[in-house]
Amino acid sequence: MIRLYSILLLGLMSCATVTSQNKTVDDKVDDLLAKMTLEEKIGQMNQYSSFFDVTGPAPKEGSAKERYEHIRSGRVGSVLNVRGVKEVRKMQELAVEESRLGIPLIFGYDVIHGYSTQAPIPLAESASWDLEAIQNSARLAAKEAAATGLNWTFAPMVDISRDARWGRVMEGAGEDPYLGSRIAEARVIGFQGDDLSSPETIAATAKHFAAYGFAESGKDYNTADVGLSTLYNVILPPFKAAVDAGVRTFMNSFNELNGVPATGDVFLQRELLKGEWGFNGFIVSDWGSIIEMVDHGYAADAKHASELAANAGSDMDMESNAYVNHLAALVAEGKVDETKINDAARRILKVKFELGLFDDPYKYCDEARESSTLGNTEQKEGALDMAKKSMVLLKNQDNLLPLPKSGKKIAIIGQLANDKNSPLGNWRMGASDNTAVSVVEGFAQYSGNKVVYEQGVKLFDGQEIFAMHIDVNEDDNSGIEEAVKVAQESDVVVLVVGEHGYMSGEGRSRANIGLPGLQQEMLEAIMEVNNNVVLVLMNGRPLAINWADQHVPAILEAWQPGTMSGDAIAQVVFGDYNPSGKLPMTFPKDVAQVPIYYNHKNTGRPGPKDVVFWSHYSDMTNEPLYPFGYGLSYSSFEYSDLSTATVDGKVKVSVTVKNTSSVDGEEVVQLYIRDKVASVTRPVKELKGFEKVSIKAGESQQVSFTLTDKELGFYNNKGVYIVEPGEFDIMVGGSSAAGLTDTITL
Ligand code: NOJ
């Protein structure tokens, strides 16, 4: 093929010149911008989806052919949802070799917990509290994605959420801003590495800016109405952490926040993010979120929506077809200043330069690398390691777990145990269906035991990703009888229950968060005949499993552990891996308690009290089922000798943690503070430090923390960070509930 690309570029003195060695990226961007027409700049601000994967309402305008034509005419800056080197190359050729300036496209994709090889869902990864492992998981995801031609992921989602009904909690780091911030950093660094131009790293996106996780009643896309204290102290910190970690792009959100759709929010995007925080990457809208401002009742039509979004600082339009159709006219009419277009195009081009796309637009398009990377041993080993670290042991009465490796008859029951799809979780478009190792397969290698499988009650028939409703069996309990029979004849039952893979994720909010379908009925029937039940939960959100907690001796929260599910679960159940995960989100006793979170305020009427006038329900406890930070191990740990000292305005904290068991294990040592009197009330507890330590059986370890102004202050209602003197409780323990406490005065 004639390399029109280089000929054109040389002829126009464009890219060949701007990539010359001794210019800074900013110089190169300026040189290129100077050559661009207004339409070409606006083109950079336009992003289309391919037709491979559609991750939003189907594109209303434009056939594939028309869209290709737009790429040729320089009216497209980015494409999302393109799969595989061949297809990426084809599209890149259109932009690079056939458009006037040959500006390469940037290819985005939702690489959320892996591309082809799936690590556990992000909420599960967060349960590891293992920043190194999380960073490594993002690094592996980037490596796989980059090998398929992609150079930009729409991850990490750093939305804090306190509502387990919201389907997208599976995609985040849970309820806590401190843990969420550390994980945001780890993921950004994992995806981007320390060299964005490496062919193995990709640009990351902090999303969804902002307050998407505070959708009223946990219903996706719903309104967020949030006070300033919560906005500054809970919602924004992980976004700020992502900026500080060098994240190159942001995505705004579908929701309105306090009456203004985030996509049109000047304060969030221009003043705070690009202004105060100095973010110099670019902001992509969420899918159609520009045009959706019409439905919000904020914009009159697509043109007005473009005006509002561009003025507010949304740099790239994902699938609204609004900028490409209206921005030029808006500039001509003086409604959008051209400097704003220049700024947006500059930001987008800068990231393209940083990725090295101008030096080699096909650097991610190596088919040999693609085939040797996808699903290779490094990927699988990484996914397995992450999956084991993500699991949380919720209950283990009389040390039922780990199970012996031989000599027992074990019944594995539950449709999910034999499912190779659900364990992959949602947001896994790059994975082929049915590629997870199932629990049944995973257990097969521990064949010293006699293992039998029985499906039991049917949970669902098939899995259709875009189905309006997940068709869960609510009527046919015919499988229970056989399951009970098998349970009766076995020494131990491993009962795998939970949600199927598409029951959480975007658009998958649930009003009830118990075990779906007839699984509860089956569980109760099995418990009648066999007490040795290990409940393995596979789900994308906290579940309300109060009955199970009261009746079942052992419960393992496996989440949706990804490609290596069955191996990971088997290794934990048989004790080859000692569980070390801790919950990143509170588990309620009942959905009626939601939103429920550990770092709540005390109120003026905390309880319990012996009169009714305190903050509580008459028919439900305030206590969660399992608190934030909770998780057991096959080891047991004892905390002692908490000591605190104030040195030069810093607080030094140390504690001794002893492994009192005969098994080596890991513990996440957590430090919480309470600022007892403040000019804006502070929560009853706030996580401000944690360390995951490995302690040999019978041994002790001293764990130390240093608290500085960074941990001891808070944002007041003007968004100003302040540190106020006074008394602070310092609490250290193995969860947000347990702890040694000391009080210091600053
Ligand atoms: C909509 C989702 O909200 C967002 O997170 C995702 O990145 C885009 N669709 C693109 O798939």
Side-chain angles (χ1 to χ4, degrees):
M1 180 184 285
I2 302 169
R3 307 286 292 179
L4 262 178
Y5 157 59
S6 36
I7 297 168
L8 271 175
L9 293 192
L10 280 172
L12 292 165
M13 287 180 60
S14 57
C15 292
T17 307
V18 292
T19 53
S20 75
Q21 292 304 314
N22 33 17
K23 292 198 169 180
T24 66
V25 164
D26 289 328
D27 294 338
K28 294 173 189 177
V29 172
D30 283 341
D31 286 353
L32 181 53
L33 266 177
K35 297 181 178 70
M36 293 168 74
T37 63
L38 177 64
E39 282 68 22
E40 283 166 336
K41 291 175 200 165
I42 293 169
Q44 289 303 304
M45 298 167 70
N46 182 31
Q47 183 188 51
Y48 284 142
S49 174
S50 85
F51 291 84
F52 292 95
D53 291 305
V54 180
T55 50
K60 291 189 191 70
E61 281 179 44
S63 61
K65 203 168 153 232
E66 279 161 354
R67 287 176 170 215
Y68 289 157
E69 205 36 60
H70 282 183
I71 297 175
R72 283 194 187 93
S73 57
R75 300 180 78 201
V76 184
S78 172
V79 182
L80 76 147
N81 290 337
V82 184
R83 270 206 228 172
V85 160
K86 256 199 191 128
E87 295 304 326
V88 168
R89 180 182 283 277
K90 248 200 246 163
M91 283 203 196
Q92 192 68 299
E93 278 174 359
L94 294 179
V96 165
E97 305 192 10
E98 299 191 36
S99 74
R100 186 181 80 92
L101 290 174
I103 298 173
L105 297 165
I106 175 171
F107 290 89
Y109 202 89
D110 291 285
V111 184
I112 305 299
H113 52 113
Y115 179 82
S116 161
T117 312
Q118 298 301 306
I121 56 169
L123 185 66
E125 287 195 352
S126 307
S128 72
W129 294 53
D130 187 329
L131 300 176
E132 217 176 289
I134 293 171
Q135 182 175 322
N136 188 48
S137 184
R139 181 187 68 82
L140 289 172
K143 205 167 166 182
E144 236 190 18
T148 71
L150 300 170
N151 35 45
W152 179 21
T153 175
F154 304 127
M157 185 188 99
V158 304
D159 296 306
I160 297 297
S161 182
R162 297 165 163 177
D163 197 327
R165 293 170 298 182
W166 189 47
R168 296 195 81 169
V169 297
M170 56 86 47
E171 213 183 321
E175 75 188 37
D176 184 66
Y178 182 85
L179 180 63
S181 299
R182 300 293 76 78
I183 290 177
E185 288 158 5
R187 290 194 167 129
V188 167
I189 295 169
F191 285 127
Q192 297 189 164
D194 50 17
D195 177 11
L196 204 57
S197 72
S198 153
E200 296 188 346
T201 58
I202 58 181
T205 307
K207 71 185 188 185
H208 308 83
F209 201 56
Y212 183 43
F214 272 67
E216 275 176 6
S217 60
K219 209 162 37 161
D220 210 358
Y221 318 121
N222 207 3
T223 302
D225 205 335
V226 178
L228 290 174
S229 184
T230 302
L231 180 65
Y232 283 116
N233 291 293
V234 179
I235 294 171
L236 294 179
F239 288 103
K240 176 70 166 53
V243 172
D244 293 344
V247 73
R248 299 314 294 132
T249 77
F250 258 58
M251 184 184 290
N252 56 34
S253 54
F254 291 123
N255 58 284
E256 66 161 71
L257 171 60
N258 302 335
V260 179
T263 306
D265 196 321
V266 177
F267 160 69
L268 281 177
Q269 298 175 104
R270 277 219 190 275
E271 293 171 13
L272 188 68
L273 178 57
K274 293 178 175 175
E276 203 179 315
W277 293 356
F279 172 65
N280 66 4
F282 70 88
I283 305 176
V284 62
S285 82
D286 203 342
W287 182 294
S289 69
I290 295 179
I291 192 73
E292 286 175 17
M293 289 201 288
V294 175
D295 284 315
H296 275 291
Y298 192 68
D301 52 27
K303 187 171 176 188
H304 187 206
S306 302
E307 177 187 338
L308 292 166
N311 282 331
S314 294
D315 300 309
M316 187 181 276
D317 169 0
M318 180 193 289
E319 271 299 342
S320 282
N321 260 293
Y323 282 179
V324 73
N325 288 333
H326 302 291
L327 271 185
L330 286 163
V331 171
E333 290 160 23
K335 290 188 173 145
V336 175
D337 199 288
E338 195 168 347
T339 54
K340 296 214 170 95
I341 308 292
N342 288 338
D343 179 60
R346 176 178 282 114
R347 287 167 179 272
I348 294 162
L349 292 171
K350 184 175 165 73
V351 173
K352 291 186 178 182
F353 271 106
E354 289 168 349
L355 284 163
L357 286 170
F358 285 92
D359 296 323
D360 178 4
Y362 305 108
K363 58 188 288 200
Y364 300 90
C365 296
D366 175 344
E367 281 179 65
R369 183 156 68 98
E370 181 177 45
S371 61
S372 66
T373 306
L374 293 193
N376 69 15
T377 312
E378 184 192 24
Q379 292 291 334
K380 290 210 167 116
E381 279 173 359
L384 176 61
D385 178 62
M386 193 71 250
K388 289 188 286 192
K389 290 178 168 156
S390 300
M391 293 185 193
V392 185
L393 183 62
L394 296 175
K395 190 174 174 193
N396 196 17
Q397 197 176 304
D398 301 328
N399 295 329
L400 179 57
L401 285 173
L403 298 180
K405 285 187 184 162
S406 62
K408 296 282 176 203
K409 180 169 179 196
I410 299 179
I412 304 179
I413 300 178
Q415 187 178 356
L416 287 173
N418 202 26
D419 186 355
K420 293 170 66 61
N421 219 18
S422 283
L424 297 173
N426 207 336
W427 286 120
R428 46 80 189 271
M429 293 105 57
S432 307
D433 281 344
N434 297 309
T435 45
V437 179
S438 73
V439 174
V440 171
E441 290 169 336
F443 274 45
Q445 57 189 290
Y446 291 87
S447 52
N449 290 300
K450 181 168 173 5
V451 179
V452 289
Y453 170 68
E454 178 58 42
Q455 173 183 284
V457 76
K458 184 181 276 182
L459 178 56
F460 53 87
D461 268 323
Q463 298 188 352
E464 176 40 55
I465 186 167
F466 293 118
M468 278 291 282
H469 301 288
I470 305 299
D471 209 2
V472 169
N473 165 32
E474 305 276 358
D475 317 305
D476 175 10
N477 65 4
S478 58
I480 295 183
E481 198 182 325
E482 196 51 38
V484 168
K485 193 162 157 263
V486 171
Q488 205 158 17
E489 291 161 358
S490 303
D491 299 315
V492 185
V493 176
V494 175
L495 181 57
V496 184
V497 293
E499 304 177 312
H500 84 53
Y502 294 136
M503 266 179 126
S504 56
E506 188 180 346
R508 307 289 167 169
S509 296
R510 292 178 66 203
N512 292 305
I513 54 171
L515 292 174
L518 303 173
Q519 297 179 108
Q520 178 68 26
E521 191 179 324
M522 176 166 71
L523 167 63
E524 292 183 23
I526 288 173
M527 287 304 298
E528 296 265 315
V529 299
N530 192 332
N531 255 323
N532 291 329
V533 172
V534 175
L535 197 68
V536 174
L537 297 171
M538 242 186 224
N539 43 287
R541 55 158 63 75
L543 295 177
I545 47 154
N546 202 32
W547 190 94
D549 178 65
Q550 284 170 2
H551 297 88
V552 182
I555 307 177
L556 177 70
E557 176 54 85
W559 314 102
Q560 282 140 352
T563 304
M564 303 305 288
S565 287
D567 291 299
I569 292 172
Q571 289 188 26
V572 171
V573 165
F574 291 103
D576 283 350
Y577 182 82
N578 186 355
S580 60
K582 302 275 187 176
L583 295 177
M585 239 184 132
T586 304
F587 272 45
K589 286 199 155 110
D590 191 287
V591 69
Q593 294 176 309
V594 171
I596 182 168
Y597 48 97
Y598 85 96
N599 50 355
H600 58 82
K601 299 292 183 72
N602 203 37
T603 80
R605 291 194 173 188
K609 291 213 170 35
D610 49 12
V611 286
V612 296
F613 305 113
W614 64 287
S615 178
H616 72 300
Y617 305 104
S618 339
D619 55 354
M620 170 83 53
T621 170
N622 281 354
E623 295 307 308
L625 182 60
Y626 306 118
F628 172 83
Y630 169 81
L632 304 172
S633 153
Y634 298 150
S635 312
S636 47
F637 299 98
E638 197 179 270
Y639 287 71
S640 64
D641 303 328
L642 174 64
S643 86
T644 54
T646 312
V647 187
D648 298 335
K650 292 182 184 148
V651 182
K652 303 268 183 198
V653 180
S654 86
V655 71
T656 302
V657 185
K658 181 169 186 193
N659 180 343
T660 53
S661 72
S662 55
V663 195
D664 299 350
E666 286 179 286
E667 168 73 332
V668 181
V669 182
Q670 302 161 43
L671 181 149
Y672 297 85
I673 66 164
R674 177 172 183 180
D675 182 349
K676 294 176 88 170
V677 180
S679 56
V680 180
T681 61
R682 308 302 307 138
V684 294
K685 277 185 184 187
E686 294 178 85
L687 181 73
K688 290 295 176 181
F690 63 87
E691 202 175 321
K692 192 164 189 171
V693 289
S694 173
I695 310 180
K696 291 220 172 314
E699 292 187 1
S700 296
Q701 198 166 310
Q702 202 182 41
V703 181
S704 305
F705 300 93
T706 302
L707 297 171
T708 64
D709 282 0
K710 232 173 130 195
E711 289 82 28
L712 294 165
F714 61 89
Y715 288 91
N716 68 14
N717 286 347
K718 296 197 165 61
V720 179
Y721 189 80
I722 51 172
V723 186
E724 293 181 340
E727 278 196 344
F728 289 76
D729 285 339
I730 309 287
M731 295 156 272
V732 181
S735 85
S736 63
L740 300 171
T741 305
D742 209 351
T743 302
I744 53 151
T745 305
L746 276 186

